[in-house]
């Protein structure tokens, strides 16, 4: 039996993030839809440096991904302050961590603002480009307790490749009927294609690396370790962090 349990506030009515991944359609010339795009040389170098040097502690990737998810939720919350058509309660906003031992995937999901194909291109296609930083600068006059931008979608996001040999991002922007998938092995480039997602928000799916003599990547499929890492690194997050647990 399994229950969804937030570490901070138990809420049995927490909203489902509702992801349904369909078959990707090929590039069709629409803005934001592309075949494989190559990383620029400087981006390749920075990615390699970041993975091998900046973070010596691999487990920090989870903190970065949860911080990015919190950013996305913050953006929707901020938007609701100036758009009366967006009615949100604290119980409507959450971050979810899940894993699939058979598929060897770890997923961080949120029901925040989501991203369009153009957002995926701009925020994830260029390493060290930060949509959150741009958002913070553009809304500097509104910064305060209601807007708490924590991380930067850029270098932090790419820490996922310390433990994953492929990362898939599925996102549906608020107010959009379309969903898009960004996928990369973190080496040569990335691909953006159309997909399906039932509700707004983003799923970051990590396909874990094969185990080596030095590193057991399967440990990141451990319920106890994930819970420990969330409490250790992400206890400051203002939104419920929910996990599917065995009972």
């Amino acid at each position: 039996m399994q229950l969804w349990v937030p570490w901070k506030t138990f809420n049995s009515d927490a909203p489902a993030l509702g992801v349904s991944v369909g078959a990707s359609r090929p590039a069709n010339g629409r803005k934001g839809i592309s075949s494989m795009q190559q990383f620029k040389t400087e981006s390749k170098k920075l990615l390699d440096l970041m993975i091998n040097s900046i973070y010596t502690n691999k487990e920090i990737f989870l903190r970065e991904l949860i911080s990015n998810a919190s950013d996305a939720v913050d953006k929707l919350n901020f938007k609701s302050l100036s758009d009366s058509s967006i009615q949100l309660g604290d119980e409507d906003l959450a971050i979810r961590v899940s894993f699939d031992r058979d598929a060897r995937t770890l997923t961080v999901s949120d029901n925040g603002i989501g991203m369009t194909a153009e957002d995926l291109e701009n925020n994830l296609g260029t390493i060290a480009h930060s949509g959150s930083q741009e958002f913070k600068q553009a809304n500097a006059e509104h910064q305060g307790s209601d807007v708490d931008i924590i991380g930067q979608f850029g270098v932090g996001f790419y820490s996922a490749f310390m433990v994953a040999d492929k990362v898939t991002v599925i996102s549906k922007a608020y107010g959009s009927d379309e969903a898009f998938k960004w996928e990369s092995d973190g080496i040569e480039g990335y691909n953006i294609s159309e997909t399906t997602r039932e509700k707004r928000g983003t799923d970051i799916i990590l396909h874990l690396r094969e185990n080596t003599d030095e590193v057991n990547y399967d440990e990141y499929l451990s319920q106890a370790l994930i819970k420990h890492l969330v409490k250790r690194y992400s206890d400051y997050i203002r939104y419920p962090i929910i996990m599917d647990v065995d009972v």
Side-chain angles (χ1 to χ4, degrees), residues 138-186:
N139 297 280
E141 68 275 15
H142 298 293
Q143 295 303 300
S145 59
D146 290 327
V147 181
D148 183 18
I149 302 301
I150 300 170
Q152 294 186 348
F153 233 146
V155 173
F157 166 76
Y158 277 87
S159 66
F161 287 104
M162 292 191 296
V163 300
D165 55 19
K166 183 172 74 172
V167 176
T168 302
V169 179
I170 295 169
S171 196
K172 184 176 184 179
Y174 172 81
S176 175
D177 295 326
E178 299 177 313
F180 297 95
K181 177 171 70 174
W182 180 98
E183 197 163 61
S184 175
D185 60 4

Side-chain angles (χ1 to χ4, degrees), residues 106-147:
L106 175 66
T107 302
V108 177
S109 301
D110 68 73
N111 57 0
I113 196 71
M115 289 181 282
T116 63
E118 186 175 7
D119 291 334
L120 289 169
E121 175 78 27
N122 292 336
N123 293 341
L124 304 186
T126 303
I127 297 174
H129 179 96
S130 173
S132 294
Q133 185 63 30
E134 287 189 347
F135 172 81
K136 185 173 182 178
Q137 291 173 352
N139 297 280
E141 68 275 15
H142 298 293
Q143 295 303 300
S145 59
D146 290 327
V147 181

Side-chain angles (χ1 to χ4, degrees), residues 100 131 177 187 193 197 223:
D100 184 327
D177 295 326
I187 300 173
S193 59
R197 193 182 199 276
Q223 177 179 291

Side-chain angles (χ1 to χ4, degrees), residues 15-16 21 27 35 46 60 71 76 116 138 157 162 164 167 184 201 205 208 237 240 244:
V21 181
S35 55
L46 179 57
I60 208 73
D71 291 348
L76 182 63
T116 63
F157 166 76
M162 292 191 296
V167 176
S184 175
I205 306 165
L208 296 183
I237 298 295
D244 194 13

Side-chain angles (χ1 to χ4, degrees), residues 206-225:
L206 279 60
H207 306 261
L208 296 183
R209 295 181 178 276
E210 294 297 326
N211 296 324
T212 68
D213 292 338
E214 294 77 24
V215 183
N216 176 21
Y217 292 100
D218 284 344
E219 67 178 352
Y220 297 113
L221 301 174
S222 163
Q223 177 179 291
L225 178 61

Side-chain angles (χ1 to χ4, degrees):
M1 180 179 180
Q2 295 186 314
L3 295 174
W4 288 108
V5 181
W7 280 287
K8 295 182 180 179
T9 305
F10 179 78
N11 178 7
S12 60
D13 297 322
L17 298 180
V19 56
S20 174
V21 181
S24 299
R25 292 195 286 268
N28 57 10
R30 290 177 51 193
K31 184 176 182 181
I33 307 299
S34 64
S35 55
M36 177 63 71
Q37 300 295 305
Q38 299 297 311
F39 287 129
K40 294 181 180 180
T41 301
E42 58 271 24
S43 293
K44 287 184 182 181
K45 291 180 180 178
L46 179 57
L47 178 56
D48 181 68
L49 177 65
M50 189 279 299
I51 291 176
N52 295 295
S53 301
I54 293 180
Y55 292 120
T56 57
N57 189 0
K58 293 182 184 297
E59 66 187 25
I60 208 73
F61 80 91
L62 190 59
R63 182 195 70 184
E64 298 298 325
L65 297 185
I66 290 176
S67 291
N68 288 337
S70 180
D71 291 348
V73 176
D74 269 333
K75 289 178 181 179
L76 182 63
N77 199 18
F78 177 81
K79 186 176 179 66
S80 71
L81 300 179
S82 57
D83 187 342
S84 60
S85 67
I86 304 176
Q87 299 295 320
L88 298 174
D90 289 340
E91 69 279 3
D92 297 323
L93 302 172
I95 298 164
R96 179 165 289 169
V97 180
S98 59
F99 56 85
D100 184 327
R101 290 191 180 95
D102 293 332
R104 299 188 72 249
T105 58
L106 175 66
T107 302
V108 177
S109 301
D110 68 73
N111 57 0
I113 196 71
M115 289 181 282
T116 63
E118 186 175 7
D119 291 334
L120 289 169
E121 175 78 27
N122 292 336
N123 293 341
L124 304 186
T126 303
I127 297 174
H129 179 96
S130 173
S132 294
Q133 185 63 30
E134 287 189 347
F135 172 81
K136 185 173 182 178
Q137 291 173 352
N139 297 280
E141 68 275 15
H142 298 293
Q143 295 303 300
S145 59
D146 290 327
V147 181
D148 183 18
I149 302 301
I150 300 170
Q152 294 186 348
F153 233 146
V155 173
F157 166 76
Y158 277 87
S159 66
F161 287 104
M162 292 191 296
V163 300
D165 55 19
K166 183 172 74 172
V167 176
T168 302
V169 179
I170 295 169
S171 196
K172 184 176 184 179
Y174 172 81
S176 175
D177 295 326
E178 299 177 313
F180 297 95
K181 177 171 70 174
W182 180 98
E183 197 163 61
S184 175
D185 60 4
I187 300 173
E188 294 300 327
Y190 58 92
N191 181 276
I192 298 176
S193 59
E194 294 179 82
T195 187
T196 58
R197 193 182 199 276
E198 182 182 350
K199 298 181 180 181
R200 71 167 194 266
T202 300
D203 304 289
I204 301 178
I205 306 165
L206 279 60
H207 306 261
L208 296 183
R209 295 181 178 276
E210 294 297 326
N211 296 324
T212 68
D213 292 338
E214 294 77 24
V215 183
N216 176 21
Y217 292 100
D218 284 344
E219 67 178 352
Y220 297 113
L221 301 174
S222 163
Q223 177 179 291
L225 178 61
I226 294 301
K227 184 174 181 178
H228 167 72
L229 294 179
V230 170
K231 291 183 69 68
R232 179 178 181 182
Y233 293 114
S234 303
D235 197 50
Y236 61 91
I237 298 295
R238 63 187 291 189
Y239 305 104
I241 301 173
I242 304 169
M243 184 178 178
D244 194 13
V245 299
D246 299 318
V247 294

